[in-house]
Amino acid sequence: MAKKVAFLQGNEAAAHGAIYAGCNFFAGYPITPSTEVAEVCSLELPKLGGKFIQMEDEIGAMAAVLGASLAGSKVLTATSGPGLSLKQELIGYGCIAEIPCVIYNVMRGGPSTGMPTGPSQSDVMSAKWGTHGDHPAILLVPASVQETYEEIIRAFNLSEKYRTPVMVMPDEIVAHMRERIVFPEPGEIEVVPRKAPTVPPEQYKPYDTSFGDVPPLASYGTGYKFHVTGLNKMQDGFPTTKAEIVQAEEERQVRKVNANVDDIVTFEEYLLDDAEVAVIAYGSTSRSARYAVNAAREQGIKAGMFRIKTFWPFPDKQLKALAGKVKGFVTPEMNLGMCTGEVERCAQGKVPVLGIFRVDGEPINPDQIVAKIKEVK
């Protein structure tokens, strides 16, 4: 039997992918260029018994998804730029309280209102440093409509597996372009369920580390009563200022992600086996990069591409190894060097890193990348 296919834009695919992953609650506030996610969820979730709510603002939307997640729902919110800034305090709350949720943010020009309808890749640092304090960060950056569908499923899986907020950030080009998408059959892609407690309610502690770095999470309304706070907490969820507990808890919350980078980090290697110049790219820019690599090869230049699919945790291990094999890196991105700085850190001075930066609302084209490849060569 042939699989179902459709011609969708990235935002529409994100909504359908979330539903495949088991999302049954969406709260958001309309904002360009992510509103189509809310539109699809408003139509589709009620058909499946799920809930859609348009909140009064971005802050309320983030609060709503955290509450719904604690009640046992798989939750999604969608936003862009300024909306992400407004959500940051409650994203931090989600991190310290360890509440699974998925935040879909379409990258547009900034800062502030910036260029609402123009593409950008300038929110990637906000995913890691946008909210204060030390906390885990997982960020996925899809490059196609099909990948947006699949990566939002992975985002839900990672969120449940590691009990933490996970962000998915396509740039505006990926979010609004239309491509053919093939829908997977039910069960074809793994969907990770929430790890429920195995102890009775009277013995349950929401941050009981005897179960490992990711304690089971009960759902409100199932007989389990527990305390949730944005303060540093003990295993029972109540606040503490005891230095040794705060230190251990902060380290555990970061460790549960950083100790599992091999499970979380994904990437694509394209024509790197004999490459002398490696283009490091992500999102829609990687599509120009692939074309540029092929064009450079036709001109006798051994170029290849390393495509970042998981931006945080950053693929340090892979890029450090690649720095020992090539003559230089080229880093095209629609910002003023956010990824480039990370690549320079991984290069450790072994090879030059030449950036291509655009923040004018226009995509980086293959000719720009080919020209920079030649500079390295």
Side-chain angles (χ1 to χ4, degrees), residues 14 76-77 79 102-107 138-142 147-148 151-156 166-170:
L76 172 69
T77 189
T79 189
V102 175
I103 301 123
Y104 179 87
N105 176 77
V106 180
M107 292 188 282
I138 300 177
L139 169 60
L140 314 182
V141 282
E147 193 167 82
T148 300
E151 286 295 89
I152 205 161
I153 297 171
R154 190 164 77 94
F156 274 92
V166 174
M167 296 192 193
V168 182
M169 289 191 183

Side-chain angles (χ1 to χ4, degrees), residues 23-322:
C23 175
N24 56 1
F25 184 92
F26 177 97
Y29 183 82
I31 185 170
T32 302
S34 74
T35 305
E36 293 86 0
V37 180
E39 290 175 350
V40 173
C41 286
S42 71
L43 294 171
E44 299 299 326
L45 283 178
K47 298 177 184 177
L48 304 170
K51 303 296 183 184
F52 169 90
I53 183 168
Q54 180 175 313
M55 296 298 290
E56 72 275 11
D57 56 33
E58 298 279 4
I59 300 170
M62 193 67 216
V65 297
L66 294 179
S69 181
L70 288 171
S73 294
K74 284 190 172 183
V75 300
L76 172 69
T77 189
T79 189
S80 181
L84 182 66
S85 296
L86 290 168
K87 291 181 187 292
Q88 288 292 356
E89 181 181 358
L90 281 164
I91 291 172
Y93 189 101
C95 290
I96 197 168
E98 301 179 68
I99 304 173
C101 59
V102 175
I103 301 123
Y104 179 87
N105 176 77
V106 180
M107 292 188 282
R108 72 187 222 190
S112 189
T113 309
M115 192 179 296
T117 58
S120 174
Q121 294 176 312
S122 57
D123 294 350
V124 291
M125 287 297 172
S126 295
K128 187 172 178 66
W129 308 114
T131 190
H132 64 282
D134 292 293
H135 58 88
I138 300 177
L139 169 60
L140 314 182
V141 282
S144 70
V145 174
Q146 183 78 47
E147 193 167 82
T148 300
Y149 181 96
E150 294 167 356
E151 286 295 89
I152 205 161
I153 297 171
R154 190 164 77 94
F156 274 92
N157 288 344
L158 292 172
S159 180
E160 298 292 340
K161 187 173 185 179
Y162 295 107
R163 202 176 150 181
T164 190
V166 174
M167 296 192 193
V168 182
M169 289 191 183
D171 54 73
E172 185 273 339
I173 294 173
V174 174
H176 275 158
M177 69 183 178
R178 292 186 178 272
E179 292 183 317
R180 179 179 185 269
I181 179 175
V182 180
F183 289 101
E185 297 293 335
E188 183 177 343
I189 298 178
E190 180 186 15
V191 173
V192 175
R194 185 167 300 180
K195 185 179 178 183
T198 55
V199 298
E202 62 271 16
Q203 296 178 19
Y204 177 68
K205 295 179 180 180
Y207 306 101
D208 188 347
T209 55
S210 66
F211 292 94
D213 282 346
V214 187
L217 178 59
S219 298
Y220 284 136
T222 60
Y224 288 82
K225 298 179 180 180
F226 56 97
H227 191 267
V228 177
T229 177
L231 295 164
N232 289 110
K233 75 280 186 187
M234 299 180 289
Q235 291 193 3
D236 60 5
F238 283 90
T240 183
T241 57
K242 292 183 178 179
E244 65 276 13
I245 296 177
V246 171
Q247 181 80 20
E249 275 293 284
E250 293 260 355
E251 290 177 352
R252 177 186 63 80
Q253 288 165 196
V254 173
R255 183 175 63 240
K256 69 182 180 181
V257 168
N258 290 349
N260 291 286
V261 292
D262 289 340
D263 177 54
I264 299 169
V265 171
T266 55
F267 53 89
E268 178 194 1
E269 295 178 315
Y270 181 69
L271 299 180
L272 284 176
D273 287 345
D274 64 342
E276 296 179 351
V277 180
V279 181
I280 315 299
Y282 57 101
S284 67
T285 304
S286 69
R287 299 165 76 108
S288 291
R290 188 184 306 273
Y291 191 100
V293 164
N294 291 335
R297 289 263 173 180
E298 291 174 0
Q299 298 176 40
I301 301 171
K302 293 180 178 179
M305 178 181 66
F306 183 95
R307 181 167 72 89
I308 297 171
K309 296 175 66 176
T310 306
F311 199 98
W312 300 119
F314 201 72
D316 288 26
K317 180 172 67 175
Q318 291 77 18
L319 290 179
K320 286 177 180 177
L322 188 57

